[in-house]
Amino acid sequence: MTEEKLEKPTIEDFSREITRMLGGETITYCYQCGTCASSCPVAKTTDRYNPRQIIRMALLGQRYEVLNGDSIWLCASCYNCQERCPQKVEIADVIYALRNMAIREGNIPALYAEFANGLMSEGRLAPISKFLEKKRSDYGLPPLKPTGVEALKKIFSATGFDKIFFKKGEQP
Amino acid sequence: MEEAKVGVFLSDCGGQISKILDFEALAEFVKKVDGVTFVARSSEFWRGQGLKTITDAVKSGKINRAVVAENVPKISEIVIAKAVEEAGLNPHLVEVLDLKDHCAWPHRDAPSEATEKAKAMLLAAIEKAKLLEPIDKAEFPTVKSVLVIGGGIAGMQAAEDLAEMGFQVHLIEKEPFLGGLAAKAGRFFPTDDCAICIQSPTVDLKTVTHTSRKCVYRSGFSEIPNLNVLTNSKVVKVEGVPGNFKVTLERRPRYVSEEKCVACDLCTSVCPVEVPDDYNAKLSTRKAIYVNKPLVYPAAYVIDEKACKFHECAKCVEVCPAKAIDLDQKTEYVTLNVGSIIVATGFREYNPNVIKEYHYSEYPDVITHLELARMLDAFGPTKGMIVKPSNGKPAKRIVFVQCVGSRDRRWNPYCSSICCMISLKHATLIKTAHPDADVTICYIDIRTTGREHEYYYEKARELGVKFVKGRPAEILHDPATNTLIVEVEDELLRRLLELETDLVVLATAMVPSEETKKLAEILGLELDQDGFFKEYNAKLRPTETKRRGIFLCGGATFPKDAPTASLHAHSAAVKAAKFIMQGKIVKDLKTAVVNEDYCGNCQFCPVTCPYGAITLEPKENKHFVAHVSELLCEGCGICVGTCPVGAIELRHLKQDQIAAQMRALLSVNGTPKPLILAISCSECGNAAVDSSGMAMMNYPANVRVLRVPCTGIVQVRHILEAFKAGAQGVMVVGCKPDGCHYEVGSQKAKKKVELAKMLLNAYGIEPERLEMFNLVYIEGDKFAEAAKNMTEKVEKLGVLQLA
């Protein structure tokens, strides 16, 4: 991230926009102590994710970089950071808020698009493999019943989920 | 009552305002007013010949009321009142008004309109003066004695100041020894001297020079005449009134006579009981009979009640050569009569137990600053060595963690203000003694705002102390090596670090002393949002409280370093002395009075009074009436504004005086614009009116100001009466809601205005004709603007038609 890339003049606008999102209300409390980053199991394994830095960038108004990067999608939602934050920033929820903003702008990572497809077509996030079916019967569990996809579709259209996820008639 | 003979004195401000106002017309006008017996004109009336004119008129008996139009009313009011009092007239029979700032200057563009307004203002003052009644003075005795609660650095300094000023001082301490936190802290920044060093009292004749300072134990502190030190004591009850408090103390037994003990230490050598030493942060043990070291005061041993086996053992009694030990001592209750009270109860370290990820009290090598201070003390449990409490081996690697439980919205949201400096002090002490030690400070922000404080930071860097910007997430323990691992992000490198260390020192929050809340209840004091004692006004009255006669100092109000605590203590001592030094409080009885015929059984005024001055007193047949304490009443009139039956009134502004002024102010218009009455408080509200005039800001002359002590006195009926008397609009001008000089008056007024607006609406009067404004002195421009806007708004609404 270089200085030229600092977008102007959205500093206030972007952080305000986030505080209006569900889960994003507490972002402005952050005083950059780094407790979240050093608590984070993901940050321990990769340089690509640092919750403190995401919040920093968001507060400085780097909207494009935050919403288009892959960083926000790496949170594992363990809530360690949120538990320990001395300023009660709901960090994991802020990340969710950012993800929602990203999705509304069409920035959907392939994996999440797959999840959505699965929901729309089979009513499940993950497809049921032969392997899984066998395992279930090995354990004496009944086979999984098909889910009510029609009901889900109604919910998606009522909430606008389908429109957010499937632009330009991409529906499966 | 004798018939009112009003003298009117018109000052033209050295000819300045007579250029605008027609003084001839004004003099002619007032001469015709009923009750006016004397009219004089001069360039000033508050000094020299002008003042003599007033006093001569009083002495000759021509007048028994004076209305003075003077242009520096705030000062002239005081001077004139004093002069007429000397001339034999009650000073409360004088009414001073300001024709310059409230009339001539803001309306200088419209001289004839200004003159008409001046007539209305003079008429209002005359009508009020005719109704004025003499107000007496009352005296309330004050006891020249002070109670200082808390024997730490602040309490000791305040007690010493007061005792040497000649007051009887009782210094009480809940622990068995004086010294407070200072005795444990070892060294203080920024002087690096012993924490228990105090200025030598003048009683120490051999060493009294400007430069002398001494350890408490050899300072002769206890020998200061008039100083009574009571350890093991706490306040359990406070009764009485400011200047004359009756305080009950509970004094726990020491079991060792302070007078007889020779501190020979024979008792500890025979005592069989050994317990962890709280004073040394439990890093060592002590006997059940003990004395703290370094010695502070008193130089007498004490028995730990919880540990001692008393008569089962009694070995100490046998060996004591001074026969100083009495195992049958009982708790005593002592009653003191004091004029003022100083609260110096200090602060304490927060227990960082609550922050689970730091594992304090689980891992022995995670300690707090106070524990480290005990280690650094050569008298302490480790004789000055820095060791791992887990195994007693020297600690070579030390990590400090800042902001533990402070700046943390989960526990204590505030910055404890001194912990950065404590860490820097300890880090430099360690690095100086052990240059090979590996010292790291993990911080969020380093705050070194005091004099010479930044040099500590500089010195620490020079000595090789490492600084990591980042708050650690967790402290882990490796049992194989018995080392600690601090997980922290170095934000500047953007790298996650795992610092291996022997010892972790937590810079914990500083929080109010235990039992602060209880003491606040006993004393009737308020606490702030963080639980510290709240001062009356942070800027102007930093050592005073809402309860007169009770003062605060030191860490009881917020964590402080020693220089600040010291400064605060000396300030509190002066305030406490000032309060009682005359032996009496002399007060004009400008207070509220209750008409017992109307008053009864309602709780409104006792609850509303911000000063707790009103109580309910039982009368016959389970009937209660309000009783006003003349000492505590501040004369604001908030009770008047609250009373639903008009049973309470101010001596210095009765209802008929308000009504008479209102009618007079609205009797003459003289402008083409609609009359607007501005009811302003005497504090910020009137100051804003003053400043708009002083700065010659223009606003129309149809705006007439009625001054009341506080807008809290305003009743809905006052507003309705104003409309009835001819006002087309009403402004209520008070202090800022959180800056009201009488605490809640401005907020109460706001509610009354809202209520009145609803009523106006119901009567078919546009509620926009009424507005509340909250202004301060520097907002004179806003008053002028408000007056203009209000006039325009009311003009648009048209003439008010009252059925």
Side-chain angles (χ1 to χ4, degrees):
Chain A
M1 158 194 27
T2 56
E3 225 172 302
E4 297 90 304
K5 265 193 163 180
L6 269 177
E7 301 155 46
K8 290 175 192 173
T10 52
I11 292 185
E12 270 205 344
D13 300 350
F14 189 39
S15 59
R16 287 227 180 119
E17 197 184 337
I18 298 166
T19 55
R20 282 194 295 266
M21 295 288 292
L22 181 68
E25 301 90 340
T26 55
I27 189 169
T28 51
Y29 297 162
C30 177
Y31 62 12
Q32 293 286 306
C33 69
T35 306
C36 49
S38 47
S39 295
C40 178
V42 179
K44 277 197 180 75
T45 60
T46 173
D47 273 354
R48 286 156 62 209
Y49 181 70
N50 182 320
R52 179 188 59 76
Q53 201 181 9
I54 292 175
I55 291 181
R56 181 83 183 139
M57 286 162 71
L59 289 172
L60 285 178
Q62 291 183 280
R63 194 176 198 287
Y64 182 84
E65 196 140 340
V66 171
L67 296 186
N68 290 275
D70 61 356
S71 201
I72 53 173
W73 300 100
L74 294 175
C75 171
S77 306
C78 73
Y79 282 78
N80 234 359
C81 51
Q82 195 149 327
E83 189 75 17
R84 290 177 179 175
C85 175
Q87 288 297 300
K88 291 192 182 176
V89 179
E90 294 168 349
I91 301 153
D93 296 338
V94 168
I95 303 282
Y96 274 118
L98 291 169
R99 285 176 182 180
N100 276 322
M101 290 167 91
I103 284 177
R104 281 195 188 156
E105 303 199 351
N107 304 321
I108 309 162
L111 181 69
Y112 286 82
E114 243 172 67
F115 285 162
N117 276 333
L119 272 177
M120 288 297 252
S121 53
E122 292 175 50
R124 291 185 198 285
L125 284 172
I128 300 158
S129 59
K130 288 256 161 63
F131 173 77
L132 202 65
E133 300 264 31
K134 189 173 175 301
K135 273 277 170 224
R136 287 186 70 91
S137 77
D138 288 351
Y139 289 128
L141 292 168
L144 285 166
K145 286 176 200 160
T147 52
V149 180
E150 288 314 307
L152 268 178
K153 278 188 177 165
K154 270 184 198 162
I155 294 173
F156 291 161
S157 93
T159 54
F161 182 85
D162 52 352
K163 285 197 191 71
I164 292 168
F165 252 90
F166 308 103
K167 288 180 182 167
K168 306 165 206 156
E170 287 173 3
Q171 271 202 33
Chain B
M1 201 172 62
E2 148 189 51
E3 198 188 331
K5 293 181 278 183
V6 184
V8 182
F9 302 87
L10 299 166
S11 154
D12 59 16
C13 188
Q16 276 297 310
I17 54 172
S18 53
K19 286 179 192 160
I20 299 158
L21 304 177
D22 181 351
F23 267 64
E24 298 301 324
L26 292 181
E28 282 310 307
F29 173 78
V30 293
K31 268 179 199 161
K32 287 180 199 143
V33 178
D34 191 31
V36 174
T37 54
F38 187 88
V39 180
R41 195 184 144 181
S42 172
S43 61
E44 65 172 5
F45 273 107
W46 66 291
R47 292 185 290 210
Q49 195 55 43
L51 189 58
K52 197 166 174 295
T53 314
I54 302 177
T55 51
D56 285 349
V58 170
K59 281 179 194 159
S60 67
K62 282 180 197 157
I63 64 169
N64 57 18
R65 301 280 191 284
V67 167
V68 190
E70 188 49 90
N71 47 53
V72 273
K74 295 298 162 304
I75 312 164
S76 58
E77 215 167 350
I78 301 165
V79 178
I80 295 165
K82 202 175 150 205
V84 299
E85 190 175 16
E86 279 163 14
L89 186 67
N90 186 290
H92 300 281
L93 300 178
V94 179
E95 179 70 9
V96 177
L97 70 154
D98 186 353
L99 285 184
K100 189 183 99 213
D101 295 335
H102 285 204
C103 184
W105 282 12
H107 317 313
R108 64 192 181 286
D109 295 346
S112 68
E113 292 182 12
T115 303
E116 292 306 305
K117 175 173 171 177
K119 283 181 189 171
M121 285 170 71
L122 282 165
L123 182 63
I126 295 165
E127 293 303 331
K128 182 185 175 192
K130 285 198 275 191
L131 297 166
L132 286 174
E133 286 168 26
I135 293 173
D136 295 329
K137 281 185 171 50
E139 284 185 4
F140 305 89
T142 56
V143 184
K144 290 192 181 182
S145 168
V146 185
L147 171 73
V148 180
I149 308 171
I153 194 133
M156 283 196 289
Q157 306 240 41
E160 193 219 305
D161 280 348
L162 287 159
E164 293 198 336
M165 278 189 249
F167 298 100
Q168 174 64 45
V169 179
H170 306 279
L171 172 66
I172 67 161
E173 167 58 46
K174 69 174 190 304
E175 299 291 331
F177 301 97
L178 295 182
L181 266 186
K184 294 185 187 179
R187 286 177 189 279
F188 271 166
F189 60 85
T191 41
D192 265 346
D193 64 347
C194 305
I196 46 125
C197 183
I198 60 165
Q199 60 168 352
S200 281
T202 41
V203 66
D204 188 358
L205 289 173
K206 274 188 275 181
T207 54
V208 172
T209 68
H210 222 50
T211 51
S212 67
R213 345 186 283 257
K214 283 204 168 187
C215 322
V216 174
Y217 84 95
R218 58 186 203 114
S219 64
F221 180 75
S222 57
E223 299 314 310
I224 304 171
N226 311 324
L227 178 65
N228 174 28
V229 180
L230 296 159
T231 51
N232 259 358
S233 305
K234 61 178 188 182
V235 175
V236 290
K237 196 160 78 176
V238 175
E239 292 168 312
V241 290
N244 203 347
F245 293 109
K246 303 261 183 309
V247 183
T248 310
L249 305 179
E250 180 190 278
R251 205 174 177 206
R252 307 283 308 151
R254 188 180 196 91
Y255 304 104
V256 180
S257 160
E258 285 175 36
E259 290 78 31
K260 291 182 190 163
C261 177
V262 290
C264 64
D265 211 37
L266 275 175
C267 49
T268 60
S269 62
V270 297
C271 178
V273 185
E274 209 150 312
V275 288
D277 186 358
D278 280 332
Y279 182 75
N280 278 325
K282 295 191 172 132
L283 293 167
S284 61
T285 57
R286 63 156 165 75
K287 297 295 182 65
I289 184 162
Y290 69 99
V291 70
N292 284 348
K293 284 191 175 111
L295 193 63
V296 187
Y297 179 84
Y301 281 62
V302 60
I303 286 177
D304 178 351
E305 284 182 310
K306 284 176 198 140
C308 180
K309 294 190 164 67
F310 290 97
H311 288 293
E312 258 179 57
C313 161
K315 284 189 180 136
C316 53
V317 182
E318 286 164 29
V319 298
C320 179
K323 302 272 173 271
I325 303 170
D326 172 10
L327 296 178
D328 298 316
Q329 256 185 24
K330 295 274 175 295
T331 299
E332 287 173 39
Y333 289 90
V334 184
T335 311
L336 302 172
N337 188 202
V338 296
S340 39
I341 299 174
I342 294 181
V343 180
T345 49
F347 56 88
R348 65 178 168 94
E349 250 189 359
Y350 187 61
N351 187 341
N353 248 338
V354 293
I355 302 160
K356 300 287 179 220
E357 50 271 28
Y358 289 169
H359 303 279
Y360 176 76
S361 77
E362 186 184 339
Y363 302 157
D365 296 340
V366 179
I367 63 170
T368 67
H369 261 312
L370 210 48
E371 289 165 11
L372 179 66
R374 294 316 302 141
M375 278 200 220
L376 284 166
D377 190 335
F379 285 100
T382 58
K383 310 270 182 288
M385 289 297 296
I386 319 285
V387 300
K388 286 166 74 73
S390 61
N391 58 13
K393 287 189 182 150
K396 292 278 175 200
R397 298 166 297 178
I398 301 149
V399 174
F400 291 89
V401 180
Q402 297 305 115
C403 303
V404 177
S406 57
R407 301 185 71 199
D408 189 326
R409 293 159 62 97
R410 297 169 301 173
W411 317 109
N412 304 291
Y414 56 90
C415 165
S416 294
S417 82
I418 54 172
C419 335
C420 282
M421 280 307 295
I422 297 173
S423 290
L424 290 172
K425 176 194 74 175
H426 281 165
T428 45
L429 283 174
I430 294 168
K431 272 300 241 185
T432 310
H434 311 283
D436 58 331
D438 182 355
V439 181
T440 308
I441 298 179
C442 298
Y443 68 97
I444 306 173
D445 301 288
I446 292 282
R447 293 180 172 175
T448 57
T449 54
R451 170 191 280 182
E452 294 182 27
H453 290 186
E454 184 68 13
Y455 304 135
Y456 269 79
Y457 193 7
E458 215 175 280
K459 193 178 166 195
R461 296 198 304 270
E462 265 174 34
L463 287 168
V465 175
K466 288 184 265 183
F467 290 87
V468 172
K469 179 166 169 55
R471 181 182 176 277
E474 190 160 9
I475 297 164
L476 305 171
H477 180 240
D478 181 358
T481 54
N482 190 25
T483 50
L484 297 168
I485 296 150
V486 179
E487 290 193 328
V488 61
E489 183 201 14
D490 185 319
E491 293 179 18
L492 304 177
L493 286 179
R494 225 212 93 165
R495 200 170 290 167
L496 299 178
L497 306 179
E498 291 188 345
L499 305 171
E500 237 180 78
T501 183
D502 300 320
L503 193 66
V504 173
V505 183
L506 304 179
T508 60
M510 301 296 169
V511 295
S513 293
E514 272 155 21
E515 298 193 41
T516 292
K517 209 172 166 187
K518 203 168 160 197
L519 184 61
E521 270 168 30
I522 294 170
L523 294 170
L525 296 182
E526 270 183 48
L527 299 179
D528 68 10
Q529 56 179 350
D530 301 322
F532 291 98
F533 284 102
K534 195 175 173 185
E535 70 279 75
Y536 189 85
N537 180 299
K539 184 182 73 177
L540 303 168
R541 296 177 164 195
T543 52
E544 292 169 67
T545 66
K546 263 188 201 172
R547 281 204 71 186
R548 296 179 76 191
I550 304 185
F551 306 88
L552 306 171
C553 69
T557 64
F558 201 68
K560 284 182 179 56
D561 59 8
T564 318
S566 197
L567 196 68
H568 211 206
H570 298 313
S571 157
V574 169
K575 291 286 184 178
K578 204 169 113 181
F579 187 69
I580 53 171
M581 63 185 292
Q582 305 286 355
K584 62 186 177 189
I585 299 166
V586 182
K587 188 180 169 190
D588 285 343
L589 289 179
K590 289 166 78 174
T591 58
V593 277
V594 178
N595 183 340
E596 293 191 2
D597 293 341
Y598 298 158
C599 175
N601 291 7
C602 112
Q603 300 265 357
F604 284 13
C605 62
V607 172
T608 320
C609 176
Y611 304 98
I614 308 179
T615 46
L616 288 181
E617 294 224 326
K619 295 278 162 181
E620 298 142 15
N621 303 329
K622 292 186 182 170
H623 184 67
F624 285 87
V625 296
H627 171 79
V628 179
S629 158
E630 289 180 334
L631 175 60
L632 297 177
C633 177
E634 297 274 333
C636 59
I638 294 173
C639 53
V640 180
T642 308
C643 184
V645 292
I648 196 160
E649 267 201 305
L650 293 183
R651 278 205 185 89
H652 48 294
L653 187 63
K654 298 205 161 178
Q655 295 287 10
D656 56 351
Q657 294 167 11
I658 297 178
Q661 284 187 87
M662 208 183 267
R663 280 195 301 273
L665 284 170
L666 301 168
S667 64
V668 195
N669 188 342
T671 79
K673 294 188 163 67
L675 278 173
I676 288 169
L677 184 73
I679 304 174
S680 101
C681 75
S682 299
E683 305 298 337
C684 295
N686 218 254
V689 182
D690 284 348
S691 72
S692 65
M694 283 179 210
M696 296 197 178
M697 289 160 180
N698 253 311
Y699 61 88
N702 58 315
V703 177
R704 307 283 154 89
V705 180
L706 170 66
R707 195 173 76 161
V708 293
C710 170
T711 48
I713 199 175
V714 173
Q715 293 172 316
V716 173
R717 72 177 176 95
H718 290 141
I719 294 165
L720 301 181
E721 272 167 16
F723 284 111
K724 221 165 130 190
Q728 301 283 307
V730 175
M731 298 163 69
V732 178
V733 189
C735 302
K736 298 281 176 191
D738 52 0
C740 175
H741 286 58
Y742 299 102
E743 311 292 329
V744 295
S746 185
Q747 295 164 27
K748 298 273 174 205
K750 177 109 199 142
K751 284 186 183 160
K752 304 276 172 47
V753 166
E754 278 162 18
L755 183 61
K757 274 173 174 267
M758 281 159 62
L759 280 173
L760 290 178
N761 205 20
Y763 291 146
I765 301 172
E766 300 87 348
E768 302 87 61
R769 290 183 186 270
L770 169 65
E771 221 59 74
M772 169 106 194
F773 299 89
N774 302 102
L775 302 174
V776 291
Y777 174 76
I778 51 170
E779 292 178 341
D781 57 331
K782 287 193 181 150
F783 175 74
E785 198 186 306
K788 271 185 238 169
N789 291 346
M790 197 73 189
T791 304
E792 278 169 27
K793 192 160 78 176
V794 172
E795 267 181 327
K796 272 185 203 147
L797 291 170
V799 180
L800 180 63
Q801 300 289 351
L802 290 181

